[in-house]
């Protein structure tokens, strides 16, 4: 009887404990569910409010791109890349008459134009181009070129910078060395896809002549093939030079005026020679360097790249280089040791404006020995032209290869 009573009490205690456990479990589960629901609701409300604020902010700050189909926000700017071919080119242009009418002043040009960086007519430019112009004086021609080229380059949707490299002092002009300096300064400033070496007196007649480079695998381009001064005819001539001390003749086309290289191409040919003081043959030297490295120079076959040459008097300190034919003879012998890798100069000023960057430089002068030889040969030009390869090589080794002056 007692045993039965103990068992009954034990059963009652067990049942009571079970009931209490179930009640506590239900209470705990209900509280946890309530807290979870409250947190979920608060989180949902927070995200809804955040999304609403973002939508309102984007709606207020977004701007519509004129030539693009997307919306650009201040937080995440997604600019459409410019088309492969610029849509607003005009073709043949009405050429300005800057002989009868003065070009706009530099101040007027600054208020009207601005060089494009990264953007071109509200789209991302496909090509970054540095245009390098050797200069001394010729301000009217520079104003004419800037007024003419800025609208063209903007229609071509380029990210571009125009550099004028101004030679200080009154020594003989050295166009080639100024080109090398322009390349060196531009490379140090930013990454460009293409470098255009451009004379200041040439005005493009058709904006479908595109100012950008082909790939590195393609050769450099010569733009100024067709000039009004040459009746728009391609001119070629025999170029005499030495290869491995053997005399060679090559029929070449004119390579002066405007040429285009990628950074890799111009570096691989070691740039221009720095030894051409005065007028003439620095472009022939560059052509030979390009040929020696296996590049094929591309000319415009569509005749779109035609140019008008602005009339001007030759600068007094840019007379013909008497020694140019002698320098050409051994251009290839000097190529690896003289050019970009031997360039020396001092920057006197670097003035950046919205329409161009002018860098004024001191490039030194030809050595006293070179000036004496130039004076000597000016009285007997035949002695230079008729040097054999061996004679000219001997002369070069004695007088130019060991040249230490700038």
């Amino acid at each position: 009887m007692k045993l039965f009573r103990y068992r009954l009490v034990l059963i009652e205690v067990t049942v009571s404990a079970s009931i209490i456990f179930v009640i506590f479990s239900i209470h705990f589960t209900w509280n946890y569910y309530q807290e979870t629901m409250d947190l979920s609701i608060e989180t949902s409300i927070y995200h809804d409010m955040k999304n609403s604020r973002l939508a309102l902010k984007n709606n207020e700050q977004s701007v519509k791109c004129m030539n693009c189909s997307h919306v650009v926000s201040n937080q995440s700017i997604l600019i459409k890349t410019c088309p492969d071919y610029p849509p607003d080119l005009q073709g043949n242009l009405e050429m300005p008459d800057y002989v009868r009418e003065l070009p706009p002043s530099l101040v007027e040009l600054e208020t009207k134009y601005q060089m494009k960086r990264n953007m071109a007519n509200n789209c991302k430019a496909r090509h970054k181009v540095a245009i390098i112009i050797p200069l001394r004086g010729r301000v009217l021609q520079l104003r004419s070129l800037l007024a003419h080229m800025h609208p063209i380059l903007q229609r071509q949707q380029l990210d571009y910078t125009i550099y004028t490299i101004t030679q200080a002092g009154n020594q003989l002009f050295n166009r080639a060395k100024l080109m090398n300096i322009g390349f060196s300064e531009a490379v140090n400033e930013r990454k460009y896809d293409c470098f255009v070496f451009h004379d200041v007196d040439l005005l493009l007649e058709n904006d479908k002549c595109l100012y950008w480079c082909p790939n590195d695998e393609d050769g450099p381009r010569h733009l100024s093939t067709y000039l009004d001064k040459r009746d728009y005819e391609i001119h070629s001539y025999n170029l005499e030079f030495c290869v491995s001390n053997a005399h060679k003749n090559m029929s070449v086309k004119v390579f002066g005026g405007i040429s285009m290289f990628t950074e890799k191409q111009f570096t691989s040919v070691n740039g221009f020679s720095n030894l051409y003081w005065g007028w003439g043959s620095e472009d022939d030297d560059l052509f030979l360097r390009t040929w020696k490295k296996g590049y094929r120079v591309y000319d415009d076959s569509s005749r779109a790249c035609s140019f008008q040459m602005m009339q001007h008097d030759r600068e007094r300190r840019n007379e013909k280089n008497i020694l140019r034919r002698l320098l050409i003879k051994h251009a290839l012998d000097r190529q690896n040791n003289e050019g970009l890798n031997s360039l020396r100069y001092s920057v006197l000023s670097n003035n950046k404006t919205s329409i161009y960057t002018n860098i004024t430089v001191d490039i030194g002068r030809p050595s006293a020995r070179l000036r004496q030889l130039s004076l000597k040969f000016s009285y007997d030009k035949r002695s230079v032209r008729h040097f054999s390869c061996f004679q000219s090589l001997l002369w070069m080794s004695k007088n130019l290869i060991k040249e230490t002056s700038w």
Side-chain angles (χ1 to χ4, degrees), residues 13 51 69 84 106 145 174 178 197 199 203 236 243 361:
V13 171
N51 291 335
S69 59
D84 291 333
L106 294 177
L145 180 64
N174 193 326
L178 295 176
F197 301 96
D199 282 349
L203 298 179
S236 60
V243 179
V361 292

Side-chain angles (χ1 to χ4, degrees), residues 329-344:
K329 280 185 180 290
H330 291 281
L332 300 182
D333 295 328
R334 304 189 316 273
Q335 178 171 3
N336 294 331
N337 301 314
E338 189 271 312
L340 283 176
N341 61 3
S342 63
L343 184 62
R344 296 174 60 192

Side-chain angles (χ1 to χ4, degrees), residues 240 325 329 381-389 391:
E240 299 180 3
R325 292 189 179 91
K329 280 185 180 290
K381 298 178 183 179
R382 292 177 300 174
S383 62
V384 177
R385 176 172 290 185
H386 296 289
F387 266 179
S388 69
C389 285
Q391 288 173 324

Side-chain angles (χ1 to χ4, degrees), residues 391-402:
Q391 288 173 324
S392 57
L393 180 61
L394 183 63
W395 185 90
M396 291 280 291
S397 65
K398 286 183 177 179
N399 300 290
L400 288 182
I401 299 301
K402 297 178 181 179

Side-chain angles (χ1 to χ4, degrees), residues 250-261:
M250 179 189 293
S251 179
V252 300
K253 298 176 183 177
V254 174
F255 194 51
I258 306 172
S259 55
M260 304 172 64
F261 288 76

Side-chain angles (χ1 to χ4, degrees), residues 114-120 123 125 128-129 158-163 189-190 192 352-353 357:
Q114 186 172 4
M115 291 185 295
K116 301 294 184 180
R117 287 290 181 96
N118 299 315
M119 289 282 292
C123 59
K128 295 180 180 179
V129 180
L158 299 177
D159 173 352
Y160 67 96
T161 305
I162 297 175
Y163 294 91
E189 183 173 287
R190 68 193 297 241
Y192 289 103
K352 300 179 186 297
T353 73
T357 293

